Amino acid sequence: MPAPDPQDPARCCSYRAVQKRLPILSWLPRYSLAWLQLDLIAGATVGLTVVPQALAYAEVAGLPVQYGLYSSFMGCFVYCFLGTAKDVTLGPTAIMSLLVSSYAFHDPVYAVLLAFLSGCIQLAMGLLRLGFLLDFISCPVIKGFTSAASITISFNQVKNILGLQGIPRQFFLQVYQTLRRIGETRAGDAILGLACLVALTGLGAMKSRLPRAPSVELLSTRVSYRIVWISATARNALVVLFAGLVAYSFQVMGSQPFTLTGKIPQGLPAFQLPLFSEVAPNSTVPFSRMVQDMGDGLAVVPLMGLLETIAIGKAFASQNDYRIDPNQELLAMGVTNVLGSFVSSYPVTGSFGRTAVNAQTGACTPAGGLVTGALVLLSLAYLTSFFYYIPKAALAAVIICAVLPMFDAGIFRTLWRVKRLDLVPLCVTFLLCFWEIQYGIVAGVLVSGVLLLYPIARPPIKVSDRGELLVQPGSSLHFPAIEYLRDTVCGRALAASSPCSVILDCRHVSSIDYTVVVGLADVLRELRKRGLSLTFRGLQDDVLQALLSAGLEEFQHFTSWQEAEQCGEAEPGSSWALLFPCAERSPLATGCIQ
């Protein structure tokens, strides 16, 4: 699509609108051969990372391993056209796989339908520009969830490291059964699993300590550096490949000490609508029942998917000096999940680990995703026979090394120093996620909501006695706060040893609602019955207009403390215009109205 003539404003406007919905149009006209080389390297490197991770994350989701690969390529293609971040890669992740395990009940039909419905919800949110809803999920809730998920996912893989079968997936039962049956550990799986953990940890440490690429011209130095860098970056693929070769060697010799992944269907998944009902042994589960079974997963999965993608996108956009559009990211994720459900994908989101690899290898545009997606498709078409020999212990090691960094032990100490009250949603989310993921997230959001609303219901109110009782709210007044304000004003005024007038200083009140107006009218009447007066000071124009429109009886207001004191000393019935001629400076600053 060629760029329009700048002299044609109508065409320019329509082109910008199309470009906003198809971000590929913003970088494709400028695409160069240098970018292509870097994108090819980045896409191939991410592809070597995503294939073993996809197999492992399907295990976390409780699905056959091929569903991890089915979920890994659609996001690569879609995000190239619709994504606004050059580094982000969409696909299966540990967090999303854990949520799918909770809401899809280890059933591929439920998992695929969940992807379709989540995509529809994300599309609707993107079109309605509802990305701001993520702002209501606080950082302590996210940290509590990810830290708990890190522990539960890691411990869920201990059974594969030890070669144990029949371990339940509920965390507490899992801990109990694993410890009770630890004597049944298979030596081969345990040795291989621990060896893979050591290798992955060592290569990861090597990658983090690797200096920047050498600038020397010596070919041998550059080649050595590149070999070490590729080995550390593609460590998941190398470890899984090595473990598979070891398992294949034992198979050839006629013995097999490892638990293997097993047979994986070869070929690409069929492109078809997801099933909207499921045939059970003695009945059919209708669509309405499946939706009911998923429950709050239809809210949690789309929101957490978006949250993960936006957080990753913002982090790398800030690091690499570009901006992302949250609502466009919603559309990209929605389209990915809807189309992904047509190829048997479960819900996907942005991957922090693979995005970091993409950025570190110098990706210039989202075009590298095309290479990654192509590698996944080639794996499905030609390599599934090799996947049979991959030991489950090796995949478990890949998962554990991927999720352990998500546990943030320092957040507890940081919140203790910064704001201890934020430890409440953090701990509630963290602890309840060990019971059920959905309960932890919902409870954390509710606790955060209560902490957010409490200052609205109980705003800071400063009360001082300067002959008159001065009451000064520290923030805007909304309907949950009116009873608290009424009790404060009336309680202090009536408890005074001698009758005194009350001045309500509203300099910090920028808005009020109708319930507050009604409540203030009640306060005026109650004080008047006791022979006391209530005057207002420092009203902002919007607040003053609302009170004047309500027609409150004996409503008095002033623009300064001196005016309020003068009115308190004035005889009843005196003319406010004579006392305060300067009050006419503002059309709404009408002085003392009686």
Side-chain angles (χ1 to χ4, degrees):
M1 185 176 179
D5 184 356
Q7 303 299 325
D8 189 344
R11 286 196 63 195
C12 282
C13 185
S14 62
Y15 180 79
R16 282 195 296 270
V18 173
Q19 192 180 69
K20 187 177 177 65
R21 291 301 181 208
L22 279 176
I24 188 175
L25 297 177
S26 64
W27 55 262
L28 188 58
R30 300 178 288 112
Y31 204 72
S32 66
L33 185 61
W35 286 8
L36 176 61
Q37 293 172 344
L38 291 171
D39 284 343
L40 284 173
I41 295 172
T45 307
V46 174
L48 292 174
T49 304
V50 71
V51 171
Q53 282 191 345
L55 298 172
Y57 289 150
E59 166 70 21
V60 175
L63 302 173
V65 291
Q66 64 267 25
Y67 283 88
L69 293 172
Y70 295 165
S71 306
S72 300
F73 63 86
M74 186 59 74
C76 299
F77 298 133
V78 171
Y79 198 81
C80 178
F81 293 89
L82 300 180
T84 59
K86 73 179 182 66
D87 300 307
V88 168
T89 63
L90 298 184
T93 65
I95 295 295
M96 189 55 65
S97 299
L98 183 64
L99 292 175
V100 170
S101 173
S102 298
Y103 291 111
F105 320 109
H106 314 156
D107 186 336
V109 176
Y110 272 84
V112 174
L113 182 60
L114 181 59
F116 177 80
L117 296 177
S118 297
C120 291
I121 292 169
Q122 288 167 336
L123 270 175
M125 290 176 65
L127 293 172
L128 296 174
R129 308 187 68 79
L130 297 179
F132 72 90
L133 291 176
L134 292 177
D135 298 338
F136 291 96
I137 303 178
S138 65
C139 185
V141 172
I142 298 169
K143 288 291 186 180
F145 165 61
T146 54
S147 295
S150 170
I151 295 173
T152 55
I153 293 172
S154 297
F155 201 87
N156 183 48
Q157 297 307 308
V158 170
K159 67 179 187 294
N160 290 327
I161 294 284
L162 302 179
L164 301 178
Q165 304 290 331
I167 300 294
R169 300 186 73 88
Q170 207 284 330
F171 179 75
F172 297 110
L173 292 175
Q174 197 175 87
V175 173
Y176 171 74
Q177 289 291 341
T178 300
L179 295 177
R180 189 177 71 85
R181 298 174 52 192
I182 198 166
E184 303 173 20
T185 299
R186 290 170 55 107
D189 284 321
I191 293 172
L192 180 67
L194 292 175
C196 290
L197 281 173
V198 171
L200 288 168
T201 303
L203 288 170
M206 182 191 302
K207 175 74 185 302
S208 64
R209 290 172 173 78
L210 204 61
R212 298 181 66 87
S215 57
V216 295
E217 294 298 326
L218 214 58
L219 179 61
S220 59
T221 304
R222 294 204 308 271
V223 170
S224 300
Y225 177 88
R226 182 60 64 180
I227 291 173
V228 173
W229 183 87
I230 291 175
S231 300
T233 301
R235 57 189 177 275
N236 291 333
L238 291 178
V239 167
V240 169
L241 176 63
F242 175 77
L245 291 174
V246 171
Y248 178 75
S249 301
F250 277 102
Q251 187 82 7
V252 170
M253 291 187 294
S255 64
Q256 189 53 264
F258 310 124
T259 304
L260 303 182
T261 298
K263 185 173 177 59
I264 299 175
Q266 186 169 353
L268 305 181
F271 190 84
Q272 59 187 8
L273 273 171
L275 296 176
F276 292 94
S277 62
E278 184 176 25
V279 179
N282 299 317
S283 63
T284 299
V285 182
F287 175 72
S288 58
R289 175 63 184 276
M290 296 178 74
V291 171
Q292 183 180 350
D293 290 341
M294 293 176 194
D296 56 358
L298 294 176
V300 173
V301 170
L303 284 176
M304 292 307 297
L306 176 63
L307 184 66
E308 200 170 356
T309 301
I310 296 300
I312 292 168
K314 284 185 175 179
F316 284 91
S318 173
Q319 177 180 315
N320 296 320
D321 196 25
Y322 61 89
R323 294 179 62 83
I324 65 169
D325 181 353
N327 291 302
Q328 180 63 27
E329 293 295 299
L330 260 174
L331 292 175
M333 284 195 59
V335 173
T336 295
N337 280 318
V338 169
L339 292 181
S341 69
F342 285 67
V343 291
S344 302
S345 165
Y346 66 82
V348 300
T349 182
S351 165
F352 186 87
R354 296 194 296 274
T355 298
V357 170
N358 206 29
Q360 289 165 4
T361 48
C364 297
T365 69
L370 300 177
V371 181
T372 303
L375 286 177
V376 175
L377 291 177
L378 288 173
S379 300
L380 277 167
Y382 301 110
L383 298 180
T384 51
S385 57
F386 168 76
F387 296 156
Y388 176 92
Y389 297 101
I390 296 177
K392 288 190 174 182
L395 294 179
V398 169
I399 295 172
I400 291 172
C401 289
V403 301
L404 274 182
M406 294 192 309
F407 181 77
D408 188 358
I411 189 63
F412 295 90
R413 184 174 62 254
T414 301
L415 291 183
W416 180 263
R417 293 199 308 263
V418 175
K419 188 176 182 182
R420 295 178 183 178
L421 198 59
D422 280 340
L423 284 168
V424 177
L426 173 73
C427 293
V428 167
T429 306
F430 180 75
L431 295 175
L432 285 182
C433 278
F434 290 115
W435 178 25
E436 288 288 349
I437 288 291
Q438 57 269 36
Y439 297 155
I441 295 173
V442 172
V445 171
L446 289 177
V447 170
S448 292
V450 170
L451 295 179
L452 177 68
L453 293 174
Y454 185 79
I456 297 176
R458 295 293 181 269
I461 298 178
K462 182 180 178 181
V463 182
S464 58
D465 191 348
R466 300 172 55 177
E468 293 83 7
L469 191 68
L470 176 65
V471 180
Q472 188 179 62
S475 63
S476 294
L477 296 174
H478 302 285
F479 65 89
I482 188 57
E483 289 298 326
Y484 177 60
L485 178 66
R486 178 188 298 168
D487 293 343
T488 301
V489 172
C490 295
R492 292 293 296 269
L494 299 179
S497 55
S498 58
C500 61
S501 60
V502 179
I503 298 176
L504 190 62
D505 184 355
C506 297
R507 72 177 73 179
H508 301 303
V509 179
S510 60
S511 66
I512 60 174
D513 55 40
Y514 177 71
T515 305
V516 172
V517 173
V518 173
L520 290 174
D522 292 340
V523 172
L524 278 166
R525 283 192 294 269
E526 186 169 346
L527 292 177
R528 191 168 60 249
K529 289 178 183 177
R530 307 300 179 93
L532 304 175
S533 65
L534 172 65
T535 56
F536 296 81
R537 187 190 77 174
L539 290 170
Q540 298 186 27
D541 287 354
D542 290 343
V543 177
L544 176 57
Q545 186 63 57
L547 293 173
L548 290 175
S549 300
L552 302 183
E553 294 182 10
E554 300 188 20
F555 170 60
Q556 305 175 82
H557 75 95
F558 308 95
T559 57
S560 67
W561 170 256
Q562 290 77 13
E563 290 180 1
E565 283 186 322
Q566 291 173 14
C567 189
E569 295 167 359
E571 294 295 327
S574 61
S575 169
W576 67 270
L578 295 176
L579 287 170
F580 321 119
C582 61
E584 296 179 1
R585 288 172 297 183
S586 167
L588 292 178
T590 51
C592 179
I593 301 175
Q594 298 188 9

